[in-house]
Structures are given as structure tokens and as C-alpha cells.
Amino acid sequence: LLKERAEQIINLTDGTIKELKEIDKGVSGTLSIGAITTSGAAFLPATISAFHNMYPDVNVQIWEGDVGKVFELLDNRVIEIGIIREPFELLPTYASAKLPSEQIFTAMRRDRDPSSGVSADLYLRELENTPILILRRWKGMFIRWCEQVGFVPQICCESDSIVFNILLAKAGMGVAIVPKYTQSVMSDPTLVYK
């Protein structure tokens, strides 16, 4: 806890000194953004690149963490913008804008594919009796979806990391529930995304 606080204080101090030095240069300074992997990777690279082209003298800092970490960074004024995905409880102290929704896919080894590669689609019902790797914050929502089609999912791992879930899927532990963009940033010939 103290180490995290010290790092935040040092970064705030360094950022403030840099911003003060850059004020007389016009549009400059630092924009600090906090994001969770599932939110940031989908659209941040193109957005930040376009922003940088418009404002080349603005330094961008990206902080990555889970939803709680992003809110903590906002509360401590380490970041100006937090990018997260639902579900979350938004406090009235924050302003928010809704991002486009993204499809949820599965990632699995080819030998775990219920359709054995015959179909490009996967229906939720086909995941019955299948070990599921899921983000902790999606667990309740996913269970409700499964119950609506008549089964209770077999969740074998909950984590805060899509990367970790993908690696476990690659190791054959189960089927990871992931956002669609994952396929483009974590492609792997041993995995099937549906």
C-alpha cells in the first residue's frame, strides 16, 4: 500500500514539474489515462495515435489495472480519464460517456471446440459441462445468461486478467470468455475464437 502511494506521489510530482515546464510552449502537458485491459486495447491505440497527431506536445501516460484500481487512480487525481467496462457502480462524483458495446467471444484450444471446427458460431448452450475461464466482474452476468438458457455454467477459474485466462485456455484448462477484440491482439494458431 505504501509503495503504491509513494509511486503515485512521485508520478504526480514528476508530472506537475513537466507540465509547468511545458506551459509556455502552447498546447502541451500530460494526459493521464487509466484503463482496464478489456477497455483500453480495443480502441485506445487508434484514439491515442489520432490525439498525438493533433497534439504532438502532449505526453500521454497510460495506467492499467482492474476497475477498482482505475477508480482509485481517479480518486487520487493520478489520472484524468478512466476507461472501464460494465458492470460497475458509478458514483455521482464521476461524469461518464458510454463506449460502443463489444461482442463477447470464446477462446479455446481447437480440441475443446464443441463443434469440432464444423461451425464458425458457438451457441451458449454448447458450453454446458465445459470448464469456463472468466473475468471476475463478468461472472454474475455470465451465470444469469446461462441460467436463462437452462444450465449452470461450470466456472473453473475467475480472474482479473484476460491474458491469464487466454493462457489457461491455451494450456487446455477450459474455454475463456473474452471480448471480441482479443482475437486481433492475441491471435494464436492453437486457439479458436467464436
Side-chain angles (χ1 to χ4, degrees):
L1 176 67
L2 292 177
K3 181 182 177 205
E4 284 183 32
R5 293 277 188 238
E7 287 173 357
Q8 291 172 355
I9 291 168
I10 290 169
N11 284 317
L12 280 172
T13 304
D14 290 347
T16 302
I17 291 169
K18 185 175 181 182
E19 286 179 35
L20 289 172
K21 288 179 181 176
E22 294 176 345
I23 283 177
D24 60 343
K25 293 182 184 176
V27 179
S28 62
T30 301
L31 174 62
S32 296
I33 302 169
I36 58 174
T37 306
T38 56
S39 301
F43 79 96
L44 265 182
T47 304
I48 290 174
S49 180
F51 179 86
H52 179 69
N53 288 336
M54 291 172 41
Y55 305 101
D57 294 328
V58 175
N59 179 36
V60 178
Q61 291 184 351
I62 300 172
W63 298 74
E64 190 175 47
D66 62 17
V67 174
K69 178 71 171 178
V70 172
F71 277 124
E72 178 186 328
L73 293 169
L74 280 168
D75 289 341
N76 292 324
R77 302 193 191 294
V78 174
I79 60 173
E80 290 84 30
I81 299 171
I83 301 171
I84 57 178
R85 289 236 185 248
E86 295 179 311
F88 63 89
E89 188 175 330
L90 187 64
L91 299 174
T93 54
Y94 299 109
S96 68
K98 195 158 182 96
L99 298 173
S101 60
E102 186 171 31
Q103 291 177 308
I104 293 180
F105 271 40
T106 56
M108 67 198 99
R109 272 193 348 201
R110 294 186 186 284
D111 63 340
R112 283 244 181 229
D113 184 356
S115 73
S116 301
V118 174
S119 173
D121 296 322
L122 179 72
Y123 295 96
L124 187 58
R125 187 87 171 123
E126 293 177 80
L127 295 177
E128 187 173 12
N129 301 317
T130 300
I132 300 295
L133 312 161
I134 194 159
L135 290 173
R136 188 169 280 111
R137 62 190 179 81
W138 287 0
K139 180 182 175 184
M141 174 180 64
F142 185 74
I143 289 172
R144 282 190 301 280
W145 291 347
C146 294
E147 288 173 343
Q148 287 174 356
V149 296
F151 74 98
V152 176
Q154 180 187 335
I155 296 177
C156 67
C157 179
E158 305 170 41
S159 81
D160 295 318
S161 169
I162 287 176
V163 173
F164 194 71
N165 287 349
I166 292 287
L167 293 172
L168 290 173
K170 186 176 176 177
M173 185 171 165
V175 174
I177 308 301
V178 298
K180 181 181 180 181
Y181 85 87
T182 308
Q183 184 175 6
S184 62
V185 296
M186 296 190 70
S187 64
D188 185 308
T190 64
L191 293 175
V192 176
Y193 288 88
K194 292 185 175 197

